[in-house]
Amino acid sequence: MDNLSSTKHNHNSSKPNTLHVEDPAALTEPSPLRKIIVVASIAAGVQFGWALQLSLLTPYVQLLGIPHTWAAFIWLCGPISGMLVQPIVGYYSDRSTSRFGRRRPFIAAGSFAVAIAVFLIGYAADMGHMFGDSLQKKSRPRAIAIFVVGFWILDVANNMLQGPCRALLADLAAGDQRKTRTANAGFSFFMAVGNVLGYAAGSYSGLHHIFPFTKTKACDVYCANLKSCFFLSIAMLLTLATAASIYVKEKPLSPEKSTAADAEDEGKSHGIPCFGELSGAFRELKRPMWILLLVTCLNWIAWFPFLLFDTDWMGREVYGGEVGVGKAYDMGVRAGALGLMLNSVVLGATSVGVEFLARAVGGVKRLWGIVNFILAICLAMTVLVTKQAEHSRHFAPGSTDPLPPPGNVKAGALALFSVLGIPLAITYSIPFALASIFSSSTGAGQGLSLGVLNLAIVIPQMVISVTSGPWDALFGGGNLPAFVVGAVAALASGILSIFLLPSPPPDLAKAATAAGGGFH
């Protein structure tokens, strides 16, 4: 759980930043469209990996022996890295005087770090066994330690990669509004492409046949498929990042301008300037921004449990499987990955029609409220789908592994995944646009206002990561308790959006449908 994730908390780098340092010599005219497309295509490689994270890694950590109650703690790295890494990387990439440019060194370093992280994650079971893990025991502590290190590196690397990539797109657009819109649309398009490819790969069970060496004594078919998916992911990312780094040239920032910017920052704040200005922004927030932060916070409390455990819910509750026992759980996880692919298709289609939907219902805040009600209904419907699956559960003679659920149950679950693409598209666009509008109308800096909004996303994610597992355990395990809390939070978010959130000024309302973001 745009981390997970990378989510989940990866939006800010595409927006104007009050800490941005510009070299006028490097921004005289917009770059050709082909260069913008080449850089935007990196999003497909990044999002391919994020899709694999969201669909396959929660079941994988349980396969390594981490109990369901504690699996959510692994995802703390997403919001933490999003809150810390992105501002720091953005700040120093703005001021980099490398002869290779300001953004490309960070893109290259992030891609290399992703490759290392993917290797550690994919081979965690093998390396753990090599260092002494017993295959007869359910828990593999050495494999878990290696996985956790790789997972944290992966989230940090993705955040280090996405921010400079978006900033490079802004540099190439050079302030041209048409090129800027094209760059953002291209980035969003390639994000959708990466999502569809990643979820499609995660839903296919035969990829390990392409890489037969991935299946080992310590790594079963599910693990081997995960390795194979990550091999494809890293090959795609490295190819796209290398092509962009070679084809698109940057003009280095002069050391004199970087030094002057640093001296200006020293007079404004103490410690790391980006965090000093961010904390100061809280003291200047007006009432519309505070209400927006509250609505956004409740919205992400609703979203994060499902984004974290959606494929686990399919494998555990809908298909009735157990981690590492029989085939039912793995089949459910692959069905969940198919559901996420359908979710991405609906999300992309809805994103194109956000402006039309806002006009049809009478404004962006009303649209946000309505889709939050849809979110609440869908999360509540997971209880009904689960009960239907349990009622229709059947077993083959002499087997304890349940048969797949009836077609109507599977269709109902996949329909929920698909419908949830509609509110997710709104969540990825309208809150960030409203933050820009409210900051413009009050005179606040947009970069800092969006940084504050990011905290309203990552803090709920951290809270859910810490509490969702123990909360579910209080009710006997499973994912439904966290989903029910999410439904209540979505209902509250929808009510506040309609009745308390101010409407944007008429001349700026159209802009609220044009901005986009992403969880991952």
Side-chain angles (χ1 to χ4, degrees):
M1 280 212 267
D2 235 93
N3 191 191
L4 88 69
S5 46
S6 83
T7 340
K8 309 163 174 167
H9 48 276
N10 292 323
H11 315 279
N12 299 349
S13 50
S14 64
K15 304 295 181 180
N17 191 331
T18 58
L19 298 173
H20 183 66
V21 178
E22 295 182 346
D23 186 357
L27 299 170
T28 53
E29 60 182 20
S31 296
L33 180 61
R34 61 181 181 274
K35 291 188 176 182
I36 292 175
I37 293 175
V38 169
V39 174
S41 68
I42 298 175
V46 175
Q47 207 66 22
F48 192 114
W50 277 115
L52 294 175
Q53 276 188 265
L54 291 174
S55 60
L56 300 181
L57 287 192
T58 293
Y60 182 57
V61 299
Q62 296 178 70
L63 190 65
L64 294 179
I66 299 178
H68 178 270
T69 304
W70 303 106
F73 282 90
I74 302 295
W75 290 87
L76 273 173
C77 58
I80 291 175
S81 64
M83 186 168 57
L84 299 178
V85 175
Q86 278 207 35
I88 294 174
V89 169
Y91 179 82
Y92 286 104
S93 73
D94 282 345
R95 287 154 177 76
S96 172
T97 57
S98 168
R99 66 187 179 92
F100 298 106
R102 291 185 293 174
R103 318 299 182 188
R104 290 189 300 165
F106 288 91
I107 292 174
S111 300
F112 181 69
V114 168
I116 294 175
V118 165
F119 177 82
L120 291 175
I121 292 173
Y123 281 88
D126 296 298
M127 296 172 69
H129 178 57
M130 182 177 65
F131 292 135
D133 279 345
S134 172
L135 300 182
Q136 281 68 46
K137 294 182 179 179
K138 186 175 182 179
S139 180
R140 309 180 193 179
R142 296 167 184 83
I144 291 171
I146 295 169
F147 171 86
V148 170
V149 171
F151 192 66
W152 278 71
I153 293 175
L154 181 60
D155 256 26
V156 170
N158 276 326
N159 279 289
M160 185 168 67
L161 177 62
Q162 277 212 95
C165 182
R166 285 181 178 269
L168 180 56
L169 286 174
D171 295 342
L172 295 175
D176 183 278
Q177 292 188 8
R178 184 178 65 84
K179 287 290 180 68
T180 300
R181 289 196 300 269
T182 301
N184 287 330
F187 197 88
S188 298
F189 170 77
F190 282 111
M191 283 179 66
V193 170
N195 270 334
V196 172
L197 292 177
Y199 293 135
S203 65
Y204 180 55
S205 61
L207 278 179
H208 66 284
H209 295 304
I210 303 176
F211 306 99
F213 59 87
T214 55
K215 186 177 179 182
T216 64
K217 186 178 180 181
C219 185
D220 62 7
V221 172
Y222 182 89
C223 172
N225 275 318
L226 179 68
K227 282 184 190 175
S228 302
C229 289
F230 273 129
F231 285 152
L232 296 176
S233 170
I234 196 58
M236 182 178 183
L237 175 60
L238 290 179
T239 300
L240 295 172
T242 301
S245 298
I246 293 174
Y247 182 62
V248 179
K249 306 297 182 183
E250 292 184 89
K251 191 168 183 178
L253 180 70
S254 61
E256 293 79 10
K257 292 184 178 293
S258 180
T259 303
D262 289 338
E264 182 180 353
D265 286 333
E266 288 179 2
K268 288 183 178 180
S269 58
H270 302 284
I272 300 178
C274 53
F275 292 119
E277 294 194 25
L278 188 62
S279 62
F282 273 102
R283 296 190 293 269
E284 301 175 4
L285 289 182
K286 305 299 182 183
R287 184 174 182 271
M289 274 299 296
W290 281 113
I291 297 175
L292 177 61
L293 293 180
L294 177 59
V295 176
T296 302
C297 180
L298 289 171
N299 194 204
W300 279 99
I301 289 175
W303 270 117
F304 200 56
F306 186 79
L307 293 172
L308 187 61
F309 291 115
D310 41 22
T311 54
D312 184 67
W313 170 67
M314 283 290 284
R316 191 182 296 269
E317 276 92 347
V318 178
Y319 275 70
E322 295 183 27
V323 179
V325 179
K327 298 180 179 180
Y329 183 81
D330 292 349
M331 292 174 61
V333 169
R334 289 196 297 272
L338 174 63
L340 288 171
M341 186 186 72
L342 298 174
N343 176 279
S344 296
V345 173
V346 174
L347 187 155
T350 304
S351 298
V352 176
V354 170
E355 185 175 343
F356 170 78
L357 291 174
R359 288 199 306 265
V361 300
V364 291
K365 75 163 193 171
R366 185 173 295 177
L367 174 62
W368 195 14
I370 291 172
V371 298
N372 273 323
F373 295 148
I374 294 175
L375 172 60
I377 293 171
C378 288
L379 292 176
M381 288 291 289
T382 59
V383 178
L384 177 61
V385 171
T386 299
K387 297 304 179 184
Q388 287 182 332
E390 292 175 349
H391 180 71
S392 59
R393 192 93 69 216
H394 296 290
F395 297 85
S399 173
T400 59
D401 198 28
L403 296 172
N408 64 319
V409 173
K410 183 178 179 180
L414 293 178
L416 288 181
F417 276 91
S418 302
V419 173
L420 283 171
I422 298 174
L424 193 58
I426 306 305
T427 299
Y428 283 172
S429 58
I430 286 180
F432 305 95
L434 288 178
S436 297
I437 291 171
F438 291 155
S439 64
S440 297
S441 60
T442 60
Q446 290 198 17
L448 290 178
S449 296
L450 290 165
V452 171
L453 182 68
N454 191 53
L455 295 180
I457 298 172
V458 300
I459 290 176
Q461 291 177 18
M462 289 189 282
V463 171
I464 295 298
S465 294
V466 171
T467 60
S468 61
W471 172 258
D472 288 338
L474 285 177
F475 296 89
N479 300 297
L480 293 184
F483 289 178
V484 171
V485 170
V488 174
L491 180 63
S493 179
I495 293 173
L496 293 178
S497 176
I498 292 176
F499 293 105
L500 286 184
L501 190 65
S503 296
D507 56 333
L508 294 175
K510 186 176 179 180
T513 63
F519 172 68
H520 314 302

